[in-house]
């Protein structure tokens, strides 16, 4: 257990529940013949933690740069708290920014780096020092203000960058892969700390990460981008459990995709024909297209020793691989190869010769459109 070092006590709050709304209306960015961001509509509510995910080159950083004001956009408008900021320079947008490549000044101490953000905003000298010290305290670096960045670890440098982004009480934070360079342990610690700080300040955050677990753990809402467009957006569990397309399902982790034909659609539920796997009831979010499939995550498939009436069938175990905390099983069922994932503690004793059935809960199976 590592104790949290970031504290949010006695911070003057500007990020109250009524501030920090970010809105992009039909915003685009074109570089030559590359459409980096394509008529994007995106809203971050005051106090909301929104994470952009998507493959490399899908337009996440470009979106952040346009919100921050480092990059001009080609069309329409960026609004902060309802006011267009398109012509405002970055420092007048009241946004705290931590980008992976937005480094600390190497010749300045940690304290001077944090103070710099206030100097830019013409805060009087005496007040500057005090506020910078408070901000470093808040990220657990109160005693390291004199150190130059090279005398700090990667994680400590990220904390200085965070202090610099928070010191002027911004309405919102923009964090573009702020922890990409950190090792797993430090990363998890920083995740918790940023989340704690965000909640206690009530500040809104627009975040970018390549780490699915990080996105799932930290976000109120995940926005999945592809080729400069939003392909799905929603609370983490919603996007993970109910992807609208096979592309989103596969992007957000392992899944079993079983091609199907739709027999009946009744609002939230559909009946589908899974060929050799028979008829099944599945969740329906209304996706429409040419070809359909059902997505069931490996951890949502279960073994049972008795025959199942629906949403399952007899299966043959092909292989089992122990991955440490979990065991991955491959089975064939109804002419399909499926993957199951169980906790190691639950899955160690099964033998390949055993007669098996696999099944799943209807609410864990999602009807989606095959597009890739
Ligand atoms: N200054 C630039 N000039 C030309 N093309 C650019 C420029 N910056 C970005 N692009 C292009 O715009 C597209 C989106 O880039 P962007 O950096 O926003 O992607 P990203 O989603 O942040 O990717 P990553 O996950 O790799 O950071 C890419 O095709 C990229 O090559
Ligand atoms: Mg990027």
């Amino acid at each position: 257990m590592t104790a949290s070092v970031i504290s949010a006590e006695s911070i003057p709050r500007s990020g109250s529940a009524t501030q920090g709304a970010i809105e992009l209306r039909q915003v685009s960015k074109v570089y030559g013949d590359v459409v980096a961001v394509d008529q994007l509509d995106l809203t971050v509510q005051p106090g909301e933690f929104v994470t952009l995910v998507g493959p490399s080159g899908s337009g996440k950083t470009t979106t952040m740069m346009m919100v921050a004001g480092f990059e001009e956009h080609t069309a329409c408008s960026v609004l902060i708290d309802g006011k267009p900021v398109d012509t405002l320079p970055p420092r007048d947008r009241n946004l705290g920014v931590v980008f992976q490549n937005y480094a600390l000044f190497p010749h300045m101490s940690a304290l001077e780096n944090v103070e710099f953000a206030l100097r830019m905003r013409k805060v009087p000298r005496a007040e500057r020092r005090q506020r910078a010290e408070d901000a470093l305290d808040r990220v657990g670096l109160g005693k390291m203000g004199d150190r130059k960045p090279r005398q700090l670890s990667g994680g400590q440098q990220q904390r200085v960058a965070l202090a610099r982004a928070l010191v002027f009480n911004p309405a919102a934070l923009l964090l573009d892969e702020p922890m990409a360079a950190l090792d797993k342990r430090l990363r998890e610690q920083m995740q918790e700390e940023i989340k704690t700080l965000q909640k206690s300040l009530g500040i809104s955050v627009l975040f970018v990460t390549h780490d699915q677990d990080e996105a799932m753990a930290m976000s109120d809402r995940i926005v999945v981008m592809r080729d400069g467009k939003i392909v799905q957006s929603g609370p983490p569990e919603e996007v993970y459990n109910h992807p609208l397309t096979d592309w989103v399902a596969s992007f957000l982790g392992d899944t079993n995709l079983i091609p199907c034909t739709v027999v009946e659609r009744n609002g939230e539920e559909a009946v589908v024909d899974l060929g050799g796997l028979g008829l099944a009831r599945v969740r329906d979010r209304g996706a429409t297209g040419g070809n359909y499939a059902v997505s069931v995550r490996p951890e949502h498939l279960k073994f049972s020793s008795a025959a199942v009436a629906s949403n399952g069938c007899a299966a043959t175990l092909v292989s089992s691989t122990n991955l440490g905390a979990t065991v991955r099983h491959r089975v064939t069922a109804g002419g399909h190869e499926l993957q199951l994932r169980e906790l190691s503690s639950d899955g160690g004793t099964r033998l390949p010769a055993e007669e098996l059935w696999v099944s799943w809960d209807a609410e864990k199976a999602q009807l989606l459109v095959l597009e890739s």
Side-chain angles (χ1 to χ4, degrees):
M1 272 293 288
T2 356
S4 174
V5 294
I6 295 184
S7 105
E9 281 164 26
S10 66
I11 306 166
R13 294 178 43 153
S14 77
S16 68
T18 53
Q19 277 196 317
I22 299 171
E23 193 183 342
L24 281 78
R25 288 189 190 155
Q26 291 283 298
V27 169
S28 295
K29 178 74 195 181
V30 179
Y31 295 108
D33 55 1
V34 176
V35 183
V37 173
D38 193 359
Q39 300 180 34
L40 198 77
D41 284 313
L42 174 70
T43 310
V44 182
Q45 303 292 345
E48 195 181 20
F49 196 116
V50 174
T51 301
L52 304 180
V53 299
S56 189
S58 57
K60 306 178 297 295
T61 295
T62 307
T63 302
M64 301 287 266
M65 299 286 263
M66 290 190 293
V67 176
F70 296 130
E71 195 73 82
E72 285 188 7
H73 49 87
T74 326
C76 284
S77 217
V78 176
L79 298 93
I80 296 171
D81 288 325
K83 295 188 197 78
V85 294
D86 308 83
T87 57
L88 284 185
R91 70 165 178 274
D92 293 337
R93 296 190 180 197
N94 200 21
L95 299 168
V97 174
V98 181
F99 285 0
Q100 200 194 344
N101 56 1
Y102 193 60
L104 301 174
F105 298 115
H107 60 286
M108 291 186 194
S109 69
L111 189 66
E112 286 163 347
N113 263 283
V114 178
E115 247 191 285
F116 182 79
L118 296 173
R119 219 161 72 197
M120 296 275 290
R121 288 168 178 82
K122 313 247 183 306
V123 174
R125 192 175 234 283
E127 185 187 336
R128 253 175 14 215
R129 175 59 46 121
Q130 187 60 49
R131 281 174 65 178
E133 282 172 357
D134 290 349
L136 277 181
D137 252 351
R138 206 186 298 165
V139 298
L141 293 179
K143 296 197 174 66
M144 301 194 188
D146 291 340
R147 294 205 197 170
K148 295 275 166 55
R150 66 178 142 66
Q151 298 168 312
L152 296 166
S153 75
Q156 290 164 340
Q157 290 179 37
Q158 288 301 81
R159 288 201 180 123
V160 175
L162 196 60
R164 186 175 61 180
L166 285 165
V167 71
F168 54 91
N169 298 323
L173 277 181
L174 304 180
L175 309 175
D176 190 351
E177 304 199 51
M179 296 176 275
L182 307 184
D183 67 39
K184 189 168 179 294
R185 204 186 130 114
L186 200 50
R187 218 179 147 94
E188 285 173 357
Q189 189 187 338
M190 285 287 286
Q191 285 169 9
E192 283 178 26
E193 289 168 359
I194 288 177
K195 193 67 201 170
T196 306
L197 199 60
Q198 182 255 337
K199 275 194 188 149
S200 54
L201 292 175
I203 197 167
S204 36
V205 176
L206 187 56
F207 189 77
V208 172
T209 181
H210 270 108
D211 180 331
Q212 314 295 349
D213 294 341
E214 189 166 285
M216 291 294 295
M218 298 187 75
S219 320
D220 297 316
R221 196 150 52 87
I222 290 181
V223 172
V224 188
M225 289 186 70
R226 184 185 189 189
D227 297 335
K229 293 192 178 71
I230 294 174
V231 289
Q232 191 166 348
S233 151
E237 312 74 44
E238 166 73 21
V239 180
Y240 183 78
N241 287 326
H242 305 292
L244 294 176
T245 66
D246 59 335
W247 187 87
V248 172
S250 305
F251 180 75
L252 289 178
D254 289 338
T255 198
N256 293 291
L257 290 168
I258 312 164
C260 69
T261 51
V262 179
V263 177
E264 203 179 294
R265 300 183 88 157
N266 304 310
E268 295 264 288
E269 201 178 69
V271 177
V272 296
D273 186 344
L274 296 171
L277 282 167
L279 292 180
R281 286 186 191 286
V282 297
R283 285 271 146 191
D284 187 357
R285 288 287 187 277
T288 52
N291 295 308
Y292 292 94
V294 167
S295 159
V296 190
R297 300 280 179 197
E299 68 272 25
H300 294 148
L301 275 176
K302 295 175 294 196
F303 283 128
S304 51
S305 50
V308 283
S310 64
N311 289 0
C313 88
T316 310
L317 189 63
V318 176
S319 66
S320 297
T321 311
N322 194 324
L323 302 171
T326 60
V327 181
R328 184 183 62 212
H329 303 285
R330 292 189 194 283
V331 303
T332 52
H336 296 281
E337 181 159 317
L338 303 175
Q339 252 194 71
L340 267 89
R341 207 173 266 248
E342 292 182 311
L343 292 177
S344 301
S345 50
D346 299 338
T349 56
R350 205 162 279 108
L351 296 170
E354 213 176 322
E355 189 186 342
L356 286 176
W357 294 73
V358 288
S359 66
W360 62 87
D361 295 334
E363 63 271 18
K364 297 292 198 223
Q366 175 64 40
L367 177 66
L368 51 69
V369 172
L370 285 173
E371 65 165 26
S372 52

